[in-house]
Amino acid sequence: MIVLVNPRSARWNHRIPLSVLAVASGLEGKYPYAIVDENFDHDIDRTLSTIMSKQEVKYLALTVMPGPQLVRAVAISKKMKAAHPHLIIIWGGTFPTIHTDTVLSVDYVDYVVSGQGEFSFSELIDALEVHQPIDNIHGIAFHRDGKVIRTAPREFVHPDILPPLPYHRVNMQHYLARTYLGRRTIGYHSSYGCPFLCGFCAIAAVYEGRWLAKNPLRVADDLLELQKQYGIDSVEFFDDNFFVSEKRTRTFAEAIAGKGIAWWGDARIDTLMQYSDSTLDLMRTSGCTMIFMGAESSSSDTLELMNKGGTQTPDLVLEFTKRIKQFDIIPEYSFIFGSPSTDVDASIERDIQYIRKIKEINPFAEIIFYVYAPVFLPGATIFEEAKKHGFDYPRTLEEWVSPEWQHLDLRKESATPWLRPHHLIKIRNFERVLNAYYPTVSDLKLTAAKKQFLRMLSGWRYRRNFYTAPYEIRFVLSKILKYRQPEIEGAEQYA
Ligand code: B12
């Protein structure tokens, strides 16, 4: 018996655990397994011991991204291994794929599956079940005689040949959330990877510039089936870059138009700027109401440091902000503050004035705030620069889950050596005043009256470009209104 675990990543997380569902798709009809989502299970120890009391569980497999989920994965694996020394524990996901040696430096994780796991995982189980050698299974790592052994990388598997997801193995009602897009929003992953190599993005570290996308007609069929089965009315595409191909986007939009499904996804601004007006129109009429994009910075030098690539410039972003307005699609821009630089104060001030300019052009533009958290990408200019400025990673999992480090990848207070507390305070304070003056549309709790009150409260500060000590705004946003933070609560991730 295999137990697949989605450790809790946040108290509010209602996102469908596609990672473990994808791995499960490779086990369907082959091995008995169970899926446990700790986001909906407040006593996972009891759940696991109940499962183990009813049948022999040989494998415990966890999906792990950094941040809170890593903290939980360490706690669960340590406890289960101590209680059941013969239990084989397997980790997969972005964190173990990027930090394999660190993960395998502990005795409570036996195997790491790197990158796509559908086939690697089931092949590993096949071999372990019959005590076959595992060295020829691609895409796994393990320790042997005190050393970490990595097998050959798994060839990139096209999503069109991957098995269908076993939705019937989870309680789908948990994952149909009310969001800005609709009353029953589902998460869907239609492509793996991204053709770009931005130096701050983990996807570049995992997929190295490869992008493989499911046939858009299959995507539309899957969503219409989910609509029939579970009544979805909207979808968040978890893809790191949904809009790479205009042709694919058009085909999908034509297939989903008029079907009552609103949609959201990640894109690059320079890619969409090359789209024709008719494609942008078709996207809107087919239900695309908001798009998440990485604006990243107001400085061309910083975009270069980030290896953003393509044709994106700060001026192009302003042009696109003006253009997309006429198509009634909300641009949701993420900014990464605090890249390694000799003059952090100036770069923050420049980004603040630039964001004000974006809001002048298009007040509906949503702004997402991140602080640069180095991703392990040897050779990437920004990562090498971070190291030159004294940044280095924890050496052990214990350090990673320590209070000092566990928040690094939350990308809110990343404690990098060149950032001082006053830098983070300046970014936070501007974020608070901006959010009050231009409240997000994605917070469904905010009525028109509450938005008006926030605007009245913050107006004098925003108009005077004055952000120091906005305690009154902070109190109202976090204590009274519990203001939604898309960068933490949403599927908005660095893109
Ligand atoms: C949905 C999602 C979330 C959901 C949670 C999902 C969950 N597990 O419950 C939410 C919104 C809560 C979330 C939050 C965060 N996330 Co997140 N999230 C994603 C997202 C967009 C999709 C994940 C997904 O479902 N992919 C689809 C599945 C099919 O693909 P997959 O996960 O890659 O899984 C495959 C392989 O990785 C592997 N695999 C994965 N798990 C396992 C497990 C086993 C046992 C095996 C064998 C194989 C395996 O096999 C799978 C099939 O091929 C990814 C980006 C992405 N596209 O992957 C970011 C991502 C994983 N998140 C990321 C981060 C950093 C976070 C945060 C920590 C920080 C933040 N502010 O965003 C927060 C933390 C939450 C918090 N408490 O604040 C980063 C991780 C970066 C890194 N350094 O590793 C990513 C990669 C985004 C990015 N582009 O940087 N996230």
Side-chain angles (χ1 to χ4, degrees):
M1 170 75 168
I2 301 162
V3 177
L4 298 169
V5 177
N6 185 41
R8 189 173 59 247
S9 53
R11 58 181 166 19
W12 37 255
N13 173 30
H14 53 71
R15 295 293 175 315
I16 185 167
L18 294 175
S19 317
V20 287
L21 271 171
V23 175
S25 69
L27 306 175
E28 271 292 295
K30 271 180 87 175
Y31 296 107
Y33 71 90
I35 293 177
V36 178
D37 184 349
E38 197 191 14
N39 294 291
F40 290 91
D41 184 315
H42 304 301
D43 188 348
I44 194 163
D45 298 343
R46 196 157 61 115
T47 304
L48 291 176
S49 44
T50 309
I51 296 173
M52 297 178 101
S53 65
K54 291 203 184 107
Q55 48 216 311
E56 190 215 359
V57 174
K58 288 171 75 175
Y59 309 97
L60 186 70
L62 300 89
T63 185
V64 191
M65 63 182 161
Q69 192 172 59
L70 173 62
V71 176
R72 290 302 304 145
V74 166
I76 295 166
S77 305
K78 225 185 205 174
K79 195 163 189 176
M80 294 308 286
K81 192 70 162 177
H84 311 276
H86 303 300
L87 186 63
I88 294 173
I89 298 191
I90 303 162
W91 282 22
T94 53
F95 187 83
T97 298
I98 296 172
H99 299 284
T100 307
D101 291 359
T102 307
V103 170
L104 289 172
S105 66
V106 297
D107 59 5
Y108 50 83
V109 180
D110 302 292
Y111 299 94
V112 161
V113 170
S114 296
Q116 290 174 303
E118 288 86 345
F119 297 150
S120 309
F121 185 70
S122 59
E123 287 172 21
L124 175 61
I125 304 296
D126 293 348
L128 293 175
E129 281 296 288
V130 292
H131 309 292
Q132 287 290 319
I134 57 173
D135 301 60
N136 298 329
I137 298 171
H138 291 192
I140 65 170
F142 48 92
H143 31 69
R144 182 188 285 157
D145 312 331
K147 286 205 299 299
V148 171
I149 310 291
R150 274 184 174 78
T151 63
R154 163 98 17 207
E155 305 68 35
F156 206 24
V157 182
H158 195 290
D160 279 339
I161 65 166
L162 291 172
L165 297 185
Y167 291 108
H168 59 285
R169 301 299 298 258
V170 294
N171 176 351
M172 285 294 282
Q173 297 315 314
H174 280 162
Y175 306 116
L176 303 171
R178 182 158 178 256
T179 67
Y180 164 75
L181 295 167
R183 305 194 66 76
R184 296 168 73 80
T185 304
I186 194 74
Y188 187 94
H189 198 243
S190 83
S191 65
Y192 279 93
C194 174
F196 293 87
L197 293 168
C198 305
F200 55 78
C201 183
I203 300 304
V206 175
Y207 294 103
E208 297 164 342
R210 292 167 295 176
W211 181 71
L212 278 179
K214 205 179 261 189
N215 176 314
L217 296 176
R218 279 194 59 189
V219 176
D221 288 350
D222 284 356
L223 293 176
L224 295 173
E225 184 57 27
L226 286 167
Q227 186 182 48
K228 207 165 73 200
Q229 296 264 357
Y230 305 107
I232 69 159
D233 63 5
S234 45
V235 58
E236 286 172 335
F237 285 111
F238 288 169
D239 307 35
D240 301 289
N241 196 341
F242 179 89
F243 295 86
V244 169
S245 147
E246 181 169 0
K247 184 166 172 297
R248 179 176 182 264
T249 304
R250 283 194 73 87
T251 309
F252 171 73
E254 279 154 4
I256 210 73
K259 301 289 193 308
I261 295 182
W263 51 288
W264 168 98
D266 287 20
R268 280 183 60 104
I269 298 163
D270 50 358
T271 304
L272 290 185
M273 195 57 174
Q274 287 156 19
Y275 275 27
S276 66
D277 284 358
S278 82
T279 303
L280 293 173
D281 231 2
L282 171 63
M283 285 161 50
R284 182 64 188 86
T285 49
S286 73
C288 180
T289 52
M290 187 191 279
I291 302 177
F292 181 84
M293 294 162 271
E296 322 304 5
S297 170
S298 59
S299 140
S300 303
D301 295 345
T302 305
L303 290 178
E304 198 170 327
L305 176 71
M306 291 171 167
N307 191 31
K308 186 68 184 176
T311 57
Q312 183 168 325
T313 65
D315 288 345
L316 181 115
V317 174
L318 297 179
E319 254 181 81
F320 180 77
T321 306
K322 193 152 167 269
R323 181 177 177 216
I324 197 69
K325 202 173 164 189
Q326 57 181 291
F327 296 94
D328 186 26
I329 296 176
I330 293 181
E332 194 182 24
Y333 292 142
S334 73
F335 277 84
I336 302 179
F337 287 81
S339 298
S341 135
T342 47
D343 191 347
V344 178
D345 289 286
S347 78
I348 293 172
E349 186 53 34
R350 203 185 32 245
D351 285 344
I352 288 176
Q353 297 316 319
Y354 181 74
I355 289 169
R356 289 176 61 94
K357 207 183 284 176
I358 286 176
K359 281 292 190 179
E360 267 164 45
I361 297 167
N362 185 344
F364 298 107
E366 295 267 329
I367 307 293
I368 308 280
F369 287 69
Y370 288 117
V371 173
Y372 171 57
V375 160
F376 185 69
L377 252 179
T381 322
I382 192 169
F383 180 62
E384 299 304 329
E385 196 61 25
K387 285 201 292 184
K388 269 196 229 130
H389 279 74
F391 178 84
D392 200 0
Y393 284 110
R395 287 271 175 278
T396 67
L397 276 188
E398 296 320 309
E399 275 183 278
W400 268 100
V401 297
S402 67
E404 186 210 348
W405 282 97
Q406 68 175 253
H407 294 127
L408 173 77
D409 282 289
L410 283 182
R411 303 166 181 160
K412 297 298 285 184
E413 272 113 32
S414 312
T416 45
W418 54 90
L419 275 187
R420 298 282 165 275
H422 79 268
H423 293 136
L424 293 168
I425 291 167
K426 173 127 189 194
I427 297 165
R428 276 290 142 276
N429 287 346
F430 171 63
E431 181 183 17
R432 290 182 180 111
V433 176
L434 182 82
N435 286 344
Y437 197 67
Y438 292 106
T440 175
V441 291
S442 65
D443 189 331
L444 306 176
K445 309 187 298 301
L446 289 181
T447 59
K450 288 177 182 167
K451 287 182 180 174
Q452 215 167 1
F453 171 69
L454 279 172
R455 190 150 175 112
M456 186 272 300
L457 186 69
S458 57
W460 71 274
R461 282 177 175 279
Y462 192 81
R463 286 189 291 276
R464 285 181 182 73
N465 217 350
F466 176 72
Y467 312 110
T468 310
Y471 301 130
E472 76 287 3
I473 292 176
R474 183 174 181 176
F475 176 76
V476 171
L477 285 177
S478 56
K479 301 288 178 247
I480 299 179
L481 299 174
K482 307 240 179 310
Y483 185 85
R484 178 177 187 272
Q485 295 179 282
E487 73 282 5
I488 293 186
E489 296 181 36
E492 285 80 354
Q493 316 270 335
Y494 274 9

